[in-house]
Amino acid sequence: MKKPLSVDIPYPIIEDIEINKNSVTRLSFLYAGKHGELNAILQYTYHYFYFQNLGDKETAETLMAIAFSEMQHLEILGSALLKAGIDPIYAGYLPFGCNFYKTDSVSYSKNAEKMLLDDISGELVAIDAYEKAIIAVDDEKIKAILSRIKIDEELHVRVLRERLNFYVAERTIV
């Protein structure tokens, strides 16, 4: 199995968490909302195939390592929802029901630079969502989990920008 692209800091243990309605909404959208972890996994996997096809093994493997990291995040958030008695379905919970996940938020770009720009944009949106969730939730254990995941997302931005700089440099040389 490939190694996830994650910071070498352990994730907090999910125990005795209390999730209120506000926290459920936040966690569920981070889990499987329009720009949540599920969407990131699908987008990175899709882009992985195209970079493989371009013959760029390094970027392809980087994207798959990020996808594995996002899978860890999905597992952590899903486990937290389940421990709180919430069904970890692929949806964002709303006060009046569920907003089921749809793949229309996956970037289907095929140009190398555009794929990387879309991936960076997705990570920046995720970081913003995690920051807002950290402020909004009451439980310190949930805050710790979200803060730890956010650190990985920041790493992903740095690595993706390095890969993008490679493509920009290649284009300017030609």
Side-chain angles (χ1 to χ4, degrees), residues 106-125:
V106 173
S107 162
Y108 294 108
S109 303
K110 294 167 186 61
N111 170 279
E113 287 181 39
K114 177 73 167 114
M115 286 187 279
L116 291 168
L117 285 168
D118 289 346
D119 293 339
I120 292 167
S121 175
E123 291 291 347
L124 293 173
V125 168

Side-chain angles (χ1 to χ4, degrees), residues 102-152:
K102 297 181 287 195
T103 60
D104 62 344
S105 295
V106 173
S107 162
Y108 294 108
S109 303
K110 294 167 186 61
N111 170 279
E113 287 181 39
K114 177 73 167 114
M115 286 187 279
L116 291 168
L117 285 168
D118 289 346
D119 293 339
I120 292 167
S121 175
E123 291 291 347
L124 293 173
V125 168
I127 290 167
D128 183 61
Y130 277 102
E131 287 172 349
K132 288 177 180 170
I134 291 163
I135 292 167
V137 299
D138 300 328
D139 188 289
E140 291 302 317
K141 293 174 185 176
I142 295 173
K143 286 179 185 277
I145 292 165
L146 301 178
S147 295
R148 172 59 188 84
I149 292 172
K150 182 178 151 271
I151 293 170
D152 284 343

Side-chain angles (χ1 to χ4, degrees), residues 57-122:
K57 185 177 179 180
E58 184 176 348
T59 300
E61 288 180 0
T62 297
L63 296 180
M64 191 53 73
I66 294 173
F68 283 138
S69 176
E70 305 297 7
M71 287 177 201
Q72 284 182 317
H73 302 163
L74 186 80
E75 188 273 330
I76 291 165
L77 295 172
S79 294
L81 288 167
L82 191 59
K83 281 192 180 266
I86 305 299
D87 188 5
I89 59 175
Y90 298 119
Y93 282 94
L94 300 168
F96 52 84
C98 296
N99 183 12
F100 287 98
Y101 178 78
K102 297 181 287 195
T103 60
D104 62 344
S105 295
V106 173
S107 162
Y108 294 108
S109 303
K110 294 167 186 61
N111 170 279
E113 287 181 39
K114 177 73 167 114
M115 286 187 279
L116 291 168
L117 285 168
D118 289 346
D119 293 339
I120 292 167
S121 175

Side-chain angles (χ1 to χ4, degrees), residues 45-55 108-110 115:
T45 304
Y46 182 81
H47 290 172
Y48 161 84
F49 295 129
Y50 274 90
F51 278 101
Q52 282 283 93
N53 192 52
L54 291 170
Y108 294 108
S109 303
K110 294 167 186 61
M115 286 187 279

